Amino acid sequence: MRSTDSQARAHPLRNLTCSLGLALALGLPIQALGNAFTALDARSLSLGGSGVASTRPYNAPFFNPARLAGNPQVEGRRDELTFLRPYVGVRLIDRDGFLDALDQYQENDNSSRLDTALDELEQSLRDLDPNREDFLAVTTAGNALLDDYQNLSDKPLRLVGSGGMNVGYPSERWGFGAHQRINGAIGMEIRVSESDIAAVREVLDFIDFLVELVDADELPDDVDLPVLPDDFQSEFALQGMLVEETGLSLAAQIPGMRRTSVGVTLKQLRVETLDWRTEVDDAESDNFDREQQSLTYTDSNIDIGLTHELDEHWTAGLMVRNAIARDYLTVLGNEVRLRPVARVGLAWQNEQWTVAWDMDLNETEAVGFDPRKQFIAMGAEYRPWRWLALRGGYRHERVLEEGELSLGFGLAMRHAHFDLGVSTDGRDSMAAALQFGVRF
């Protein structure tokens, strides 16, 4: 007879809920250093992620520092007020349906069904009264459990976030700004090994063999039921990056070129990479030692921006973020590459409308099991009254051929402002951001 020790038939994904909880707990408000040209401030998020030519000065340190100078008129006036703007945003990406697979796994509860079927089969063998249905209950539950395992395997769940504060002073000829941000991303996935799948199938194949003996009335009285191994090779993997960024932005009109402004952002970075692999049943927050699973770097970089007012309504922009290429290693030897990200933008503005279009000029890499990205973003803002802005946008990702809609609004007084934005593709990605601040 098989062992009655509960560990003898432990299942490799029994602690999936704990694994997911760990990933969510570690999902600090951070955004990946090596990811695509995206932002989580409320205004640009609701405009589809556009902003190279249309960003307002209070977000210029991120989207285009040149916009701190030479601002086109908005709401009938230029933005020439000192600003202080904190913001926070978060994005959840479940591209391959991990959360749905997890919900299905928990709802099916095939692990418990298999345990129950094995217990009932063992009892019927002890009573010397086994029947075909007892064996089929085991194989049905076991095959269903295999399907659940395979549905969960290699489906990354990714959390992205950003939080910080921008301060500065814009004007027509020159401007400056400063910011403090905590940016980063974290991804997690379950990696079910082929050897574990083979071990479960071997057990089920033996049960099928016993069914054949039952059908032929040749089943012996003393049968030792097989058990699942307790040394599964399946892994829980977590990878991410935390970046603390302090920057100073300077912008000015180019002498002799009144319609053209240039800006630079000098950044000091504290980069922390996270990389952890462990057995699924050990994937609990108590087993995660941040000091052992992380490496920290202190570094610097620079962003360069350019804007040109084509006329009183049209503005073109160019932004190169992280102009200095950097490479960072994780504690497990994986490399996170930071490469320049270039984006162009075009915007049309009058007192009531802003229409913006942005395009990435190159593909960029990401951390946390996310593929390469290259975006086209577009958005529109309508101001029926000076105190209200209604926004909408669309973002298209060219590598994976994915799209995402966004909506948002802004409420403004002369010296205060509040913005809220949300976006989703309707399936596996959703984001929300808010920003508030004062001008004086």
Side-chain angles (χ1 to χ4, degrees), residues 271-328:
V271 180
E272 181 179 358
T273 61
L274 301 172
D275 206 353
W276 186 38
R277 294 182 187 176
T278 187
E279 293 181 4
V280 172
D281 284 343
D282 292 332
E284 300 179 3
S285 56
D286 291 342
N287 296 330
F288 180 80
D289 188 329
R290 183 167 172 174
E291 292 185 0
Q292 293 185 6
Q293 267 73 54
S294 67
L295 292 177
T296 302
Y297 305 85
T298 300
D299 219 333
S300 60
N301 219 299
I302 184 172
D303 300 336
I304 303 172
L306 187 72
T307 61
H308 178 70
E309 294 183 27
L310 302 173
D311 57 31
E312 63 177 331
H313 296 297
W314 287 96
T315 302
L318 170 67
M319 173 68 169
V320 178
R321 183 185 296 168
N322 298 320
I324 304 172
R326 305 287 194 192
D327 294 326
Y328 302 103

Coordinates of all heavy atoms in Angstrom, one line a residue, residues 271-328:
V271 N 20.4 52.0 -8.5 CA 19.7 50.9 -9.2 C 19.9 49.7 -8.4 O 21.0 49.3 -8.0 CB 20.4 50.7 -10.6 CG1 19.7 49.6 -11.3 CG2 20.3 52.0 -11.4
E272 N 18.8 49.0 -8.1 CA 18.8 47.7 -7.4 C 18.1 46.7 -8.3 O 16.9 46.8 -8.6 CB 18.1 47.9 -6.1 CG 18.0 46.6 -5.2 CD 17.3 46.7 -3.9 OE1 16.9 47.9 -3.6 OE2 17.2 45.7 -3.2
T273 N 18.8 45.6 -8.6 CA 18.2 44.5 -9.4 C 17.8 43.4 -8.4 O 18.5 43.1 -7.4 CB 19.2 44.0 -10.4 OG1 20.4 43.5 -9.7 CG2 19.7 45.1 -11.4
L274 N 16.7 42.8 -8.7 CA 16.2 41.7 -7.9 C 16.1 40.4 -8.8 O 15.6 40.5 -10.0 CB 14.8 42.0 -7.4 CG 14.6 43.2 -6.5 CD1 13.2 43.5 -6.2 CD2 15.4 43.0 -5.2
D275 N 16.5 39.3 -8.3 CA 16.4 38.1 -9.1 C 16.4 36.9 -8.1 O 17.3 36.7 -7.3 CB 17.7 37.9 -10.0 CG 17.4 37.1 -11.2 OD1 16.3 36.5 -11.3 OD2 18.3 37.0 -12.1
W276 N 15.3 36.1 -8.2 CA 15.1 35.0 -7.2 C 14.5 33.8 -7.9 O 13.5 34.0 -8.6 CB 14.2 35.5 -6.1 CG 14.1 34.5 -4.9 CD1 15.0 33.7 -4.4 CD2 12.9 34.3 -4.2 NE1 14.5 33.0 -3.4 CE2 13.2 33.4 -3.2 CE3 11.6 34.9 -4.2 CZ2 12.2 32.9 -2.3 CZ3 10.7 34.4 -3.3 CH2 11.0 33.5 -2.3
R277 N 15.0 32.7 -7.7 CA 14.4 31.4 -8.1 C 14.4 30.5 -6.9 O 15.4 30.3 -6.2 CB 15.2 30.8 -9.3 CG 15.2 31.6 -10.5 CD 15.9 30.9 -11.6 NE 16.1 31.7 -12.8 CZ 16.7 31.3 -13.9 NH1 17.3 30.1 -13.9 NH2 16.8 32.1 -14.9
T278 N 13.3 29.8 -6.7 CA 13.1 28.9 -5.6 C 12.1 27.9 -6.0 O 11.3 28.0 -6.9 CB 12.8 29.6 -4.3 OG1 12.8 28.7 -3.2 CG2 11.4 30.2 -4.4
E279 N 12.0 26.7 -5.2 CA 11.0 25.8 -5.4 C 9.6 26.4 -5.1 O 9.5 27.3 -4.2 CB 11.2 24.6 -4.5 CG 12.4 23.8 -4.8 CD 12.6 22.6 -3.9 OE1 11.7 22.3 -3.1 OE2 13.6 21.9 -4.0
V280 N 8.6 26.0 -5.8 CA 7.3 26.6 -5.7 C 6.8 26.6 -4.3 O 6.3 27.6 -3.8 CB 6.3 25.9 -6.6 CG1 4.9 26.5 -6.4 CG2 6.7 26.2 -8.1
D281 N 7.0 25.5 -3.6 CA 6.5 25.4 -2.2 C 7.3 26.3 -1.2 O 6.8 26.5 -0.1 CB 6.5 23.9 -1.7 CG 5.4 23.1 -2.4 OD1 4.4 23.8 -2.9 OD2 5.4 21.9 -2.3
D282 N 8.4 26.8 -1.6 CA 9.2 27.7 -0.8 C 9.0 29.1 -1.1 O 9.7 30.0 -0.6 CB 10.7 27.3 -0.9 CG 11.0 25.9 -0.3 OD1 10.3 25.5 0.6 OD2 12.0 25.3 -0.7
A283 N 8.2 29.4 -2.1 CA 8.0 30.8 -2.6 C 7.0 31.5 -1.6 O 5.9 31.8 -1.9 CB 7.4 30.8 -4.0
E284 N 7.6 31.9 -0.5 CA 6.8 32.6 0.5 C 7.7 33.8 0.9 O 8.9 33.8 0.8 CB 6.5 31.8 1.7 CG 5.7 30.5 1.4 CD 5.4 29.7 2.7 OE1 5.8 30.1 3.8 OE2 4.8 28.6 2.5
S285 N 7.0 34.9 1.3 CA 7.7 36.1 1.7 C 8.7 35.9 2.8 O 9.7 36.6 2.8 CB 6.7 37.2 2.1 OG 5.9 36.8 3.2
D286 N 8.5 35.0 3.7 CA 9.4 34.8 4.8 C 10.7 34.2 4.3 O 11.8 34.3 4.9 CB 8.8 33.8 5.8 CG 7.7 34.4 6.6 OD1 7.6 35.7 6.6 OD2 6.9 33.7 7.2
N287 N 10.7 33.6 3.1 CA 11.9 33.0 2.5 C 12.7 33.9 1.6 O 13.7 33.5 1.0 CB 11.5 31.7 1.8 CG 11.0 30.6 2.7 OD1 11.3 30.6 3.9 ND2 10.1 29.8 2.2
F288 N 12.1 35.1 1.4 CA 12.8 36.0 0.5 C 13.7 37.0 1.3 O 13.2 37.7 2.1 CB 11.7 36.9 -0.3 CG 12.3 37.9 -1.2 CD1 12.8 37.5 -2.5 CD2 12.4 39.2 -0.8 CE1 13.4 38.4 -3.3 CE2 13.0 40.2 -1.7 CZ 13.5 39.8 -2.9
D289 N 15.0 36.9 1.0 CA 16.0 37.7 1.7 C 16.4 38.8 0.6 O 17.2 38.4 -0.3 CB 17.1 36.9 2.2 CG 18.1 37.7 3.0 OD1 18.2 38.9 2.8 OD2 18.7 37.1 3.9
R290 N 16.0 40.0 0.8 CA 16.3 41.0 -0.2 C 17.8 41.2 -0.4 O 18.2 41.5 -1.5 CB 15.6 42.3 0.2 CG 15.7 43.4 -0.8 CD 14.8 44.6 -0.5 NE 15.0 45.7 -1.3 CZ 14.2 46.8 -1.3 NH1 13.2 46.9 -0.5 NH2 14.5 47.9 -2.0
E291 N 18.5 41.2 0.7 CA 19.9 41.4 0.6 C 20.6 40.3 -0.2 O 21.6 40.6 -1.0 CB 20.6 41.5 2.0 CG 20.2 42.7 2.8 CD 20.9 42.8 4.1 OE1 21.7 41.9 4.4 OE2 20.7 43.8 4.9
Q292 N 20.2 39.1 -0.1 CA 20.8 38.0 -0.9 C 20.3 37.9 -2.3 O 21.0 37.4 -3.2 CB 20.5 36.7 -0.2 CG 21.1 36.5 1.2 CD 20.9 35.1 1.8 OE1 20.4 34.2 1.1 NE2 21.4 34.9 3.0
Q293 N 19.1 38.4 -2.6 CA 18.6 38.3 -3.9 C 18.7 39.6 -4.7 O 18.1 39.8 -5.8 CB 17.1 38.0 -3.9 CG 16.8 36.5 -3.9 CD 17.2 35.8 -2.7 OE1 16.8 36.1 -1.6 NE2 18.0 34.7 -2.8
S294 N 19.5 40.6 -4.3 CA 19.6 41.9 -5.0 C 21.1 42.3 -5.1 O 21.9 41.9 -4.3 CB 18.8 42.9 -4.2 OG 19.4 43.2 -3.0
L295 N 21.3 43.1 -6.1 CA 22.6 43.8 -6.3 C 22.3 45.3 -6.5 O 21.3 45.7 -7.1 CB 23.3 43.3 -7.5 CG 23.9 41.9 -7.4 CD1 24.6 41.5 -8.7 CD2 24.9 41.8 -6.3
T296 N 23.1 46.2 -5.9 CA 22.8 47.6 -6.0 C 24.0 48.4 -6.7 O 25.1 48.1 -6.4 CB 22.6 48.2 -4.5 OG1 21.6 47.5 -3.9 CG2 22.3 49.7 -4.6
Y297 N 23.6 49.3 -7.5 CA 24.6 50.1 -8.3 C 24.2 51.6 -8.1 O 23.0 52.0 -8.0 CB 24.5 49.8 -9.8 CG 24.7 48.3 -10.1 CD1 23.7 47.4 -10.1 CD2 26.0 47.9 -10.4 CE1 23.8 46.1 -10.4 CE2 26.2 46.5 -10.7 CZ 25.1 45.6 -10.7 OH 25.3 44.3 -11.0
T298 N 25.2 52.4 -8.1 CA 25.1 53.9 -8.1 C 25.6 54.4 -9.4 O 26.8 54.0 -9.8 CB 25.8 54.6 -6.9 OG1 25.3 54.1 -5.7 CG2 25.6 56.1 -7.0
D299 N 24.8 55.2 -10.1 CA 25.2 55.5 -11.5 C 24.6 56.9 -11.9 O 23.9 57.5 -11.1 CB 24.7 54.4 -12.5 CG 25.6 54.1 -13.6 OD1 26.4 55.0 -14.0 OD2 25.6 53.0 -14.1
S300 N 24.9 57.3 -13.1 CA 24.4 58.6 -13.6 C 24.0 58.4 -15.0 O 24.5 57.5 -15.7 CB 25.4 59.7 -13.4 OG 26.6 59.4 -14.2
N301 N 23.1 59.3 -15.5 CA 22.7 59.3 -16.9 C 22.2 60.6 -17.3 O 22.1 61.6 -16.4 CB 21.7 58.2 -17.2 CG 22.0 57.5 -18.5 OD1 21.9 58.1 -19.5 ND2 22.2 56.2 -18.4
I302 N 21.8 60.8 -18.5 CA 21.3 62.1 -19.0 C 20.2 61.9 -20.1 O 20.2 60.9 -20.8 CB 22.5 62.8 -19.7 CG1 22.0 64.2 -20.1 CG2 23.1 62.1 -20.8 CD1 23.2 65.1 -20.6
D303 N 19.2 62.7 -20.0 CA 18.1 62.8 -21.0 C 18.3 64.1 -21.8 O 18.7 65.1 -21.2 CB 16.7 62.8 -20.4 CG 16.5 61.6 -19.6 OD1 17.1 60.5 -19.8 OD2 15.6 61.6 -18.7
I304 N 18.0 64.1 -23.1 CA 18.2 65.2 -24.0 C 16.9 65.4 -24.8 O 16.4 64.5 -25.4 CB 19.4 65.1 -24.9 CG1 20.7 64.8 -24.1 CG2 19.5 66.3 -25.8 CD1 21.8 64.4 -25.0
G305 N 16.4 66.6 -24.7 CA 15.1 66.9 -25.5 C 15.2 68.1 -26.3 O 16.1 69.0 -26.1
L306 N 14.4 68.2 -27.3 CA 14.3 69.3 -28.3 C 12.9 69.5 -28.7 O 12.1 68.6 -28.9 CB 15.2 68.9 -29.5 CG 15.4 70.0 -30.6 CD1 16.4 71.1 -30.0 CD2 16.0 69.4 -31.9
T307 N 12.5 70.8 -28.8 CA 11.2 71.2 -29.3 C 11.3 72.3 -30.3 O 12.3 73.1 -30.2 CB 10.2 71.6 -28.2 OG1 10.7 72.8 -27.6 CG2 10.0 70.5 -27.2
H308 N 10.4 72.3 -31.3 CA 10.4 73.4 -32.3 C 9.0 73.7 -32.6 O 8.2 72.9 -33.0 CB 11.1 72.9 -33.6 CG 11.1 74.0 -34.7 ND1 11.8 75.2 -34.6 CD2 10.4 74.0 -35.8 CE1 11.6 75.9 -35.6 NE2 10.8 75.2 -36.4
E309 N 8.7 75.0 -32.4 CA 7.3 75.5 -32.7 C 7.2 75.8 -34.2 O 7.9 76.7 -34.7 CB 7.0 76.8 -31.9 CG 6.9 76.5 -30.4 CD 6.5 77.8 -29.6 OE1 5.9 78.6 -30.2 OE2 6.9 77.9 -28.5
L310 N 6.4 75.0 -34.9 CA 6.3 75.2 -36.3 C 5.5 76.4 -36.7 O 5.8 77.1 -37.6 CB 5.6 74.0 -37.0 CG 6.4 72.6 -36.7 CD1 5.5 71.5 -37.2 CD2 7.7 72.6 -37.3
D311 N 4.5 76.7 -35.9 CA 3.7 78.0 -35.9 C 3.1 78.1 -34.6 O 3.4 77.5 -33.6 CB 2.7 78.0 -37.1 CG 1.8 76.8 -37.0 OD1 1.4 76.3 -35.9 OD2 1.3 76.3 -38.1
E312 N 2.0 79.0 -34.5 CA 1.4 79.2 -33.2 C 0.6 78.1 -32.7 O 0.3 78.0 -31.5 CB 0.5 80.5 -33.3 CG -0.7 80.3 -34.3 CD -1.6 81.5 -34.3 OE1 -1.7 82.1 -33.2 OE2 -2.3 81.7 -35.3
H313 N 0.4 77.0 -33.5 CA -0.4 75.9 -33.0 C 0.4 74.6 -33.0 O 0.2 73.7 -32.2 CB -1.6 75.7 -33.9 CG -2.6 76.8 -33.8 ND1 -3.3 77.2 -32.6 CD2 -3.0 77.7 -34.7 CE1 -4.1 78.2 -32.8 NE2 -4.0 78.5 -34.1
W314 N 1.3 74.4 -34.0 CA 2.0 73.1 -34.1 C 3.4 73.2 -33.5 O 4.1 74.1 -33.6 CB 2.2 72.8 -35.6 CG 1.0 72.4 -36.3 CD1 0.1 73.2 -37.1 CD2 0.4 71.1 -36.4 NE1 -0.9 72.5 -37.6 CE2 -0.8 71.2 -37.2 CE3 0.8 69.9 -35.9 CZ2 -1.6 70.1 -37.5 CZ3 0.0 68.8 -36.2 CH2 -1.2 68.9 -36.9
T315 N 3.7 72.0 -32.7 CA 5.0 71.9 -32.1 C 5.5 70.5 -32.4 O 4.8 69.5 -32.3 CB 4.9 72.0 -30.6 OG1 4.3 73.3 -30.3 CG2 6.2 71.9 -29.9
A316 N 6.8 70.4 -32.8 CA 7.4 69.1 -33.0 C 8.5 68.9 -31.8 O 9.0 69.8 -31.3 CB 8.1 69.0 -34.3
G317 N 8.7 67.6 -31.5 CA 9.6 67.3 -30.4 C 10.4 66.1 -30.6 O 10.0 65.2 -31.4
L318 N 11.6 66.0 -30.0 CA 12.5 64.9 -30.0 C 13.0 64.7 -28.6 O 13.4 65.6 -28.0 CB 13.6 65.1 -31.0 CG 14.7 64.0 -30.9 CD1 14.2 62.7 -31.4 CD2 15.9 64.5 -31.8
M319 N 13.0 63.4 -28.1 CA 13.5 63.1 -26.8 C 14.4 61.9 -26.9 O 14.0 60.9 -27.5 CB 12.3 62.9 -25.8 CG 12.7 62.4 -24.5 SD 13.6 63.6 -23.5 CE 13.6 62.9 -21.9
V320 N 15.5 61.9 -26.3 CA 16.4 60.8 -26.1 C 16.6 60.5 -24.6 O 17.2 61.4 -23.9 CB 17.8 60.9 -26.8 CG1 18.6 59.7 -26.5 CG2 17.6 61.2 -28.3
R321 N 16.0 59.4 -24.1 CA 16.1 59.1 -22.7 C 17.3 58.2 -22.5 O 17.5 57.3 -23.3 CB 14.8 58.5 -22.2 CG 14.8 58.3 -20.7 CD 13.6 57.6 -20.3 NE 12.4 58.4 -20.5 CZ 11.2 58.0 -20.4 NH1 10.9 56.7 -20.2 NH2 10.2 58.8 -20.6
N322 N 18.0 58.3 -21.3 CA 19.1 57.5 -21.0 C 20.1 57.4 -22.1 O 20.4 56.3 -22.7 CB 18.6 56.1 -20.6 CG 17.7 56.1 -19.4 OD1 17.9 56.8 -18.4 ND2 16.6 55.3 -19.4
A323 N 20.7 58.6 -22.4 CA 21.6 58.7 -23.6 C 22.9 57.9 -23.4 O 23.5 57.6 -24.4 CB 21.9 60.1 -23.9
I324 N 23.2 57.5 -22.2 CA 24.4 56.7 -22.0 C 24.0 55.3 -21.7 O 23.3 55.0 -20.8 CB 25.2 57.3 -20.8 CG1 25.5 58.8 -20.9 CG2 26.5 56.5 -20.5 CD1 26.1 59.4 -19.7
A325 N 24.6 54.4 -22.6 CA 24.2 53.0 -22.4 C 24.9 52.4 -21.2 O 26.0 52.7 -20.9 CB 24.7 52.2 -23.6
R326 N 24.1 51.6 -20.4 CA 24.6 51.0 -19.2 C 24.2 49.5 -19.2 O 23.1 49.1 -19.7 CB 24.0 51.6 -17.9 CG 24.2 53.1 -17.9 CD 25.7 53.5 -17.5 NE 25.9 54.9 -17.1 CZ 27.0 55.5 -17.0 NH1 28.1 54.8 -17.3 NH2 27.1 56.7 -16.6
D327 N 24.9 48.7 -18.5 CA 24.6 47.3 -18.2 C 24.6 47.0 -16.7 O 25.6 47.4 -16.0 CB 25.6 46.3 -18.9 CG 25.5 46.5 -20.5 OD1 24.4 46.7 -21.0 OD2 26.5 46.3 -21.1
Y328 N 23.6 46.2 -16.3 CA 23.6 45.9 -14.9 C 23.3 44.4 -14.8 O 22.6 43.8 -15.6 CB 22.4 46.6 -14.1 CG 22.6 48.1 -14.2 CD1 21.8 48.8 -15.1 CD2 23.5 48.8 -13.5 CE1 21.9 50.2 -15.2 CE2 23.6 50.2 -13.6 CZ 22.8 50.9 -14.4 OH 22.9 52.2 -14.5

